[in-house]
Amino acid sequence: NATVCPECPENHVPIVVDEDECCPVCVTDWLSAEDDITDFHAKVRESVTFAVVVHLPINLNKNDFMWEKRRSGAKEDLKLYTKKYDISDDGTSLTINDITLNDEGTYRLRACIDADSCGNVEFTLN
């Protein structure tokens, strides 16, 4: 009497919440900007914080999150700039310190549940 698990619909991610359960939970829209705010305006020398909310029945590790700045098709991994950028302990927020005009642009958080299930949130700083 083998249990047949239903497949998750398109754009849903199967998550194993309980190892004793044979069928995964299907989730969608699991990553969003905090308060749905993705467009930010800040003055020179101020700081700004971008943050996301993860809607999953499991916890992700900090290594599952990657913040980057996108500029003219190129992207920079922001973990390299520790004085300029502060990434929270859980990886869900990025603070840009002492803003200059060079900081304007698009910032992206990429979070992955596994190699096949990733989500992105883009933020704009003007």
Side-chain angles (χ1 to χ4, degrees):
N1 243 357
T3 302
V4 177
C5 297
E7 284 197 25
C8 288
E10 190 175 336
N11 297 325
H12 286 63
V13 178
I15 302 289
V16 176
V17 179
D18 183 351
E19 294 296 332
D20 294 333
E21 291 287 322
C22 67
C23 294
V25 174
C26 297
V27 295
T28 185
D29 298 328
W30 58 273
L31 185 65
S32 64
E34 188 173 81
D35 300 324
D36 291 323
I37 299 171
T38 57
D39 198 13
F40 289 81
H41 301 278
K43 294 186 169 111
V44 170
R45 295 194 196 98
E46 289 183 346
S47 294
V48 66
T49 299
F50 306 137
V52 298
V53 179
V54 178
H55 311 277
L56 286 175
I58 59 168
N59 292 322
L60 297 180
N61 297 317
K62 183 175 184 173
N63 293 341
D64 297 325
F65 297 91
M66 188 177 93
W67 288 94
E68 59 190 27
K69 182 175 182 185
R70 304 181 69 77
R71 185 189 324 203
S72 316
K75 55 188 177 183
E76 298 174 65
D77 184 342
L78 300 183
K79 284 186 273 191
L80 306 173
Y81 305 98
T82 53
K83 287 185 171 35
K84 182 70 178 174
Y85 303 105
D86 183 27
I87 298 172
S88 64
D89 288 341
D90 65 359
T92 61
S93 69
L94 168 72
T95 300
I96 304 170
N97 299 303
D98 195 23
I99 291 174
T100 67
L101 293 176
N102 288 333
D103 294 318
E104 287 187 345
T106 302
Y107 294 79
R108 182 173 86 160
L109 170 74
R110 179 173 172 82
C112 295
I113 299 168
D114 57 36
D116 299 320
S117 306
C118 294
N120 301 306
V121 178
E122 287 196 350
F123 298 88
T124 305
L125 177 61
N126 296 308

